[in-house]
Amino acid sequence: MEFNFQQYFNRTFPFWNRITDSQKEEYIQNSFLSNFKKGQFVHDPMGQCFGMLTVYKGQLRVFIQSENGKEVTLYRIDEGETCTLATSCIMDEITFDVFIEATRDSTLVVTNSSYLNRISEDNVYVQNFIYKQTTEKFSSVMWSMQQILFLSFDKRLASYLYDEVIRTNESSLVVTHDEIAKELGSAREVVSRMLKYFQKEGFVILERGKVEIVNKDAIRKIAIES
């Protein structure tokens, strides 16, 4: 079945009915679908200015990386959400580099940056959408940085586990210690030690590639207590 850009943009972008018919046609002409396998890089600091990414299917992870390869996840982009940080070449205010990878097999709707540059200059609704999306994502970045700087690791890990239980509506999380370490900007060994402590206390059960939450109230208490 052929993908209908017109219908998708109409239900996804609040600015769609604020642009002219000719702009809609040109917008569609400058957009395309792109598929990525789980673990594949979508964008890196050395890559070209890709454009605006909207997740049709799958999920993206946006993260930063230190010189020694340590990763810190800033936020994720779920289905129906848009990532504007790959459009940094048209936004002078973006002054740091990010990596974007697919955390699942993903299909993205990509609108190229050169066209976005033109239409955002001509249409304030498109410009406002891009800046609103970017502002919201920077709020997520600041939250991530606050977690790293001001919370002890047991609280950060408990918060991550509790948030994942709420997000997935599952008590059994399919995730490795290495993946959690990347999410939290820590070392795998640190994650493993704290998970083993949680297991000893009866909060979780650990299996290979899986963490089962057996005492959600205790995990929540660790996450929220001052």
Side-chain angles (χ1 to χ4, degrees):
M1 184 176 179
E2 186 176 353
F3 185 82
N4 191 312
F5 285 93
Q6 170 75 25
Q7 291 181 2
Y8 183 76
F9 290 154
N10 185 55
R11 68 173 183 264
T12 303
F13 295 148
F15 63 76
W16 192 249
N17 290 324
R18 299 282 192 168
I19 62 179
T20 66
D21 289 342
S22 60
Q23 286 175 326
K24 289 178 181 178
E25 183 177 349
E26 192 174 8
Y27 198 105
I28 291 171
Q29 290 173 350
N30 283 276
S31 300
F32 58 93
L33 294 181
S34 188
N35 296 308
F36 294 87
K37 293 293 186 181
K38 179 180 178 179
Q40 185 177 353
F41 279 107
V42 177
H43 173 80
D44 65 71
M46 301 303 294
Q48 62 179 348
C49 187
F50 201 16
M52 189 166 73
L53 314 174
T54 303
V55 179
Y56 176 60
K57 292 181 179 179
Q59 186 189 70
L60 303 179
R61 180 173 75 101
V62 180
F63 63 98
I64 54 177
Q65 189 177 68
S66 67
E67 291 183 358
N68 62 6
K70 184 178 179 181
E71 298 177 5
V72 177
T73 298
L74 301 178
Y75 54 86
R76 292 173 181 263
I77 309 292
D78 292 310
E79 291 182 5
E81 297 182 342
T82 296
C83 179
T84 57
L85 289 188
T87 63
S88 57
C89 56
I90 68 170
M91 299 184 68
D92 294 336
E93 292 84 355
I94 298 178
T95 57
F96 71 93
D97 295 321
V98 298
F99 294 82
I100 304 173
E101 72 167 357
T103 55
R104 306 172 191 159
D105 290 349
S106 300
T107 300
L108 310 181
V109 181
V110 184
T111 303
N112 76 59
S113 55
S114 59
Y115 176 69
L116 281 172
N117 192 22
R118 295 200 307 273
I119 192 173
S120 63
E121 289 178 351
D122 295 337
N123 190 292
V124 67
Y125 296 102
V126 177
Q127 184 181 79
N128 286 345
F129 175 80
I130 293 174
Y131 275 94
K132 182 175 184 292
Q133 292 294 311
T134 305
T135 300
E136 289 176 354
K137 297 303 181 289
F138 271 111
S139 295
S140 298
V141 170
M142 291 303 298
W143 183 86
S144 296
M145 292 300 101
Q146 288 175 335
Q147 294 280 308
I148 293 171
L149 292 172
F150 302 123
L151 290 186
S152 60
F153 187 73
D154 61 335
K155 293 182 184 296
R156 290 169 54 205
L157 179 58
S159 294
Y160 167 79
L161 295 175
Y162 186 75
D163 288 346
E164 286 297 291
V165 168
I166 298 301
R167 185 181 69 83
T168 63
N169 198 30
E170 297 284 348
S171 60
S172 185
L173 307 178
V174 180
V175 62
T176 67
H177 295 193
D178 188 57
E179 288 170 336
I180 296 175
K182 289 180 179 179
E183 287 287 334
L184 301 180
S186 186
R188 183 185 60 79
E189 294 77 8
V190 175
V191 172
S192 296
R193 283 198 299 269
M194 189 59 67
L195 283 174
K196 288 177 181 177
Y197 169 74
F198 283 178
Q199 180 171 247
K200 182 180 178 181
E201 294 296 309
F203 304 154
V204 304
I205 295 175
L206 303 179
E207 299 179 25
R208 186 175 181 85
K210 184 183 295 185
V211 179
E212 183 176 354
I213 313 301
V214 293
N215 192 336
K216 186 170 70 173
D217 290 339
I219 291 294
R220 180 179 181 273
K221 183 178 180 181
I222 295 172
I224 66 174
E225 66 183 3
S226 59

